[in-house]
Amino acid sequence: ALTVFFDHIPLQQIHGGHLRAYQMKRSEQAGPNKVNQELSLLLRILRCAGLWSAELQQCYRPLKKPFCDVPRAMSPDEQVHFLEVAATRREWCMAYWFSLVALETTCSHCEMRGLHLGDVDFYQRILEVRSAHAKNKYRVRTIELSDLAIWALERIVQRAKAMGSLAPQDYLFPFCCGRGSWDPKRPMSDSGL
């Protein structure tokens, strides 16, 4: 992209107007991070050639990067790799089942932790996300369960029952009170998984 734009301009003739024109033209096809990276390369070339001046320094302003507080999600390949690794060890089975259900249902960590036994309906193949643990009022929903989610939830329910969650209002992921001691009336902590 730099070569196409600056091909006909000798290095010693590049000025701040060229840099700004490049930003505007290139922004039609690329995001601010990419444009800044490309111009960064040009600036290094100009410095190495001894042509970077105080005037260019004063004129050049990198494009502002858009603010995003949402962390990057795993790619489909990364998800497959994560699940393959999680499935390899018995002590990781809970993380594997939890992750399968979360990925199949789009439930967040707090929504998963807030699930009760009564929120899982194997007969109708649905999962209820209730307002108490939904991230916001728009996240309260009924989710149709895939075969894979059913498979993982069957194992999670067996585990919950073994930990004392027997009533519909008991948590699917009960709180760990200590080694081998569980409180089914409280959800697992943030670090419970």
Side-chain angles (χ1 to χ4, degrees), residues 45-62:
I45 292 169
L46 290 170
R47 282 189 183 106
C48 286
L51 298 171
W52 185 250
S53 65
E55 179 186 329
L56 281 173
Q57 179 69 40
Q58 187 176 359
C59 293
Y60 174 66
R61 294 289 173 256

Side-chain angles (χ1 to χ4, degrees), residues 153-163:
L153 280 166
E154 286 172 346
R155 280 140 188 83
I156 291 169
V157 167
Q158 285 176 344
R159 175 186 177 270
K161 287 181 176 179
M163 297 172 162

